[in-house]
Amino acid sequence: IQAAWSLKTRALTEMVYVDEIDMDQEGIAEMMLDENAIAQVARPGTSLKLPGTSQGGGPSPAVRPVTQSGRPITGFVRPSTQSGRPSTMEQAIKTPRTALTARPITSASGRYVRLGTASMLTNPDGPFINLSRLNLAKYAQKPKLAKALFEYIFHHENDVKNALDLAALATEHAQFKDWWWKVQIGKCYYRLGLYREAEKQFKSALKQQDMVDTILYLAKVYLRLDQPVTALNLFKEGLDRFPGEVTLICGIARIYEEMNNISLAAEYYKDVLKQDNTHVEAIACIGSNHFYSDQPEIALRFYRRLLQMGVYNCQLFNNLGLCCFYAQQYDMTLSSFERALFLAENEEETADVWYNLGHVAVGIGDLNLAYQCFKLTLVNNNDYAEAYNNLAVLEMRKGHIEQARALLQTASSLAPHMYEPHFNFAILSEKVGDLQRSYTAAQKSEEAFPGHVDTQQLIKQLKQHFAML
């Protein structure tokens, strides 16, 4: 079950920082020969790796937090976005072999029975099916059994190699006329990182049988190849054949959101709600968009709708607490955060709630409570860069310069893509007269957020100082 994502408040945000890639001549030659390689510098509005090139005019990092890859924080945790798929053949081979353990199958539990039946005999001490003894060619000739066996191997055992062998034999037995087997081969290729081969299989399957699932799989391939425009065109062509299909409209909205085109994404999420008014992802994303657009009252209506639908988790009450606070409904703020703390399932969620409570304390002027909340954030999650940054600001207000400097350096090392620690460190260094460190930190801040006016003004002042020297 997917959960609505925790909102982070606007006072502190994350920011994009894209590392430059240095390639030697051998690397360039390999890239030219690799058909899965993509251009290092994409055209504006055509890449997910450089969402800043989008022409959608998305919100600035000062208003809405973005992840380290540069995408704005969405209102929903989606499948395949938190844990990355294997990007190389070596990683794909090293993936866990079974659904029960990360260790490969090493037991030979079928040695005590006749070899002819050992492959399909269940042993209480061994695996349900001993894959190493399977005669795949025999089962590929039995279509009904082969399909069930493939799904067991692929989904339960996670043995992509044997699953691919079975699918290849079965589609050959079907004389390449069964679209279902082509889709399964494409899924195996996708899992192994062979995206171009997967694309060919999915396209061939679509010619034989037009299916929404196949369109979704093909779009995943294009997104992995960093071709969002091609995926968008594919979704829109699919909508011509399947008008009103919620999954296709939602796919378009996700891509626009990842490309930082928030306004278009919100329009498509509204189209999703016209077809299915109980779609949790669309409601959560629209609510998040209204929150970061300084409309907490409207966002509150969407999150209340989720509560009425039966969504009951830490993230939702955290978001309700923030919306109530910024909508000045203080009677519900603390009770929502208390419920969020009660429902938190791990320390990361607890840290998020304490961090937001710290911002509530700053908002009401209780800096001692804010200090304690940010400390509790670090107790639950010692890598929380935003909490280090906020504690440094509070230490600066108390006049503790050295503590503030140490906290800012910690925040910068934990999250180099954030501009706030760099800017705060630059301001602090400039106040104590360390102009060189101030200039270095200000440059890092400008690199992280080029549109930050205060950073530009500080750099201008420092250059005037250097010119006078």
Side-chain angles (χ1 to χ4, degrees):
I1 299 173
Q2 297 158 331
W5 184 257
S6 300
L7 294 172
K8 289 190 177 179
T9 95
R10 292 159 292 181
L12 277 178
T13 56
E14 297 179 357
M15 179 50 209
V16 59
Y17 177 69
V18 180
D19 292 324
E20 295 181 0
I21 300 175
D22 295 326
M23 297 186 66
D24 54 10
Q25 292 182 353
E26 292 182 3
I28 294 172
E30 289 179 5
M31 188 181 70
M32 291 174 64
L33 295 173
D34 184 7
E35 62 179 6
N36 290 319
I38 60 173
Q40 295 297 322
V41 182
R43 288 177 294 172
T46 62
S47 173
L48 295 176
K49 295 186 181 298
L50 298 172
T53 62
S54 171
Q55 301 300 305
S60 76
V63 176
R64 181 168 186 167
V66 293
T67 62
Q68 188 163 359
S69 62
R71 301 172 184 173
I73 287 181
T74 62
F76 201 78
V77 177
R78 302 189 179 98
S80 77
T81 58
Q82 298 299 302
S83 58
R85 292 288 187 184
S87 57
T88 63
M89 184 69 74
E90 289 78 10
Q91 289 177 354
I93 293 172
K94 290 177 183 177
T95 52
R97 290 289 300 277
T98 71
L100 306 175
T101 174
R103 296 181 61 188
I105 299 172
T106 56
S107 60
S109 58
R111 69 173 64 177
Y112 302 110
V113 294
R114 293 184 297 113
L115 292 178
T117 57
S119 60
M120 295 295 279
L121 186 73
T122 302
N123 192 307
D125 300 325
F128 178 66
I129 295 176
N130 196 341
L131 298 181
S132 61
R133 295 176 178 271
L134 281 181
N135 184 357
L136 297 178
K138 181 179 75 173
Y139 295 111
Q141 296 174 7
K142 302 175 182 178
K144 295 179 181 178
L145 182 59
K147 289 182 178 181
L149 181 59
F150 172 86
E151 293 196 337
Y152 174 81
I153 297 173
F154 186 80
H155 294 293
H156 186 272
E157 296 294 326
N158 199 16
D159 190 344
V160 181
K161 180 184 176 298
N162 278 324
L164 181 59
D165 291 341
L166 176 61
L169 291 168
T171 192
E172 186 178 350
H173 178 262
Q175 298 178 349
F176 304 97
K177 293 179 181 178
D178 192 339
W179 64 272
W180 191 87
W181 282 114
K182 292 183 179 180
V183 172
Q184 308 316 309
I185 293 175
K187 287 161 65 175
C188 293
Y189 281 142
Y190 178 84
R191 188 76 67 87
L192 291 170
L194 303 172
Y195 302 122
R196 288 299 180 187
E197 284 77 3
E199 177 192 9
K200 293 173 186 174
Q201 296 293 332
F202 289 138
K203 281 185 172 180
S204 178
L206 274 177
K207 287 180 182 177
Q208 289 184 355
Q209 180 72 35
D210 207 2
M211 294 288 291
V212 175
D213 283 351
T214 314
I215 295 173
L216 294 173
Y217 279 120
L218 185 55
K220 283 181 68 175
V221 171
Y222 286 134
L223 290 177
R224 190 50 59 95
L225 289 172
D226 196 24
Q227 295 180 358
V229 178
T230 309
L232 283 173
N233 293 334
L234 178 68
F235 278 135
K236 290 174 181 176
E237 290 172 5
L239 281 175
D240 293 336
R241 303 192 295 273
F242 301 97
E245 176 58 42
V246 171
T247 53
L248 299 181
I249 304 173
C250 191
I252 295 174
R254 288 178 180 179
I255 294 175
Y256 278 127
E257 196 169 41
E258 289 180 0
M259 293 174 69
N260 210 5
N261 195 338
I262 304 298
S263 56
L264 261 178
E267 291 298 322
Y268 277 98
Y269 279 128
K270 289 175 183 176
D271 289 342
V272 171
L273 291 183
K274 289 176 185 176
Q275 304 294 332
D276 178 10
N277 57 10
T278 60
H279 198 275
V280 176
E281 179 178 351
I283 296 173
C285 289
I286 294 174
S288 174
N289 185 37
H290 282 299
F291 178 83
Y292 288 117
S293 301
D294 284 331
Q295 296 172 323
E297 300 90 352
I298 303 176
L300 188 59
R301 289 171 53 192
F302 283 93
Y303 288 121
R304 284 178 57 195
R305 169 67 175 163
L306 286 177
L307 195 61
Q308 292 167 354
M309 285 168 48
V311 179
Y312 193 80
N313 55 28
C314 167
Q315 291 89 347
L316 179 58
F317 281 101
N318 177 59
N319 295 356
L320 283 169
L322 280 176
C323 290
C324 289
F325 176 71
Y326 284 107
Q328 299 181 5
Q329 298 183 14
Y330 301 120
D331 54 335
M332 289 293 295
T333 302
L334 290 180
S335 60
S336 297
F337 281 123
E338 284 177 0
R339 190 69 57 86
L341 284 172
F342 177 73
L343 293 172
E345 296 179 353
N346 52 54
E347 292 182 342
E348 284 76 15
E349 293 179 1
T350 307
D352 277 337
V353 179
W354 280 117
Y355 174 78
N356 288 326
L357 275 169
H359 274 288
V360 171
V362 170
I364 63 177
D366 192 344
L367 298 186
N368 288 327
L369 176 61
Y371 189 87
Q372 294 297 326
C373 288
F374 292 135
K375 282 285 189 181
L376 284 169
T377 302
L378 295 179
V379 168
N380 288 282
N381 184 1
N382 201 33
D383 293 335
Y384 215 104
E386 294 94 334
Y388 281 110
N389 181 78
N390 289 14
L391 279 173
V393 174
L394 294 177
E395 293 286 4
M396 285 171 64
R397 291 176 65 94
K398 294 179 181 179
H400 301 159
I401 303 299
E402 290 303 319
Q403 289 94 322
R405 178 178 292 184
L407 289 167
L408 287 172
Q409 287 176 333
T410 304
S412 302
S413 62
L414 286 173
H417 58 282
M418 283 172 52
Y419 75 93
E420 292 96 345
H422 298 304
F423 175 72
N424 292 339
F425 190 80
I427 291 289
L428 183 62
S429 300
E430 195 262 344
K431 282 184 178 179
V432 300
D434 193 346
L435 301 184
Q436 183 58 46
R437 282 190 179 181
S438 176
Y439 184 70
T440 305
Q443 281 185 318
K444 291 179 180 178
S445 174
E446 186 183 35
E447 213 171 297
F449 183 15
H452 194 222
V453 178
D454 292 338
T455 300
Q456 295 171 355
Q457 290 178 350
L458 178 62
I459 290 177
K460 187 177 179 181
Q461 292 176 7
L462 291 171
K463 285 183 177 178
Q464 289 176 352
H465 282 301
F466 293 145
M468 291 172 63
L469 293 174

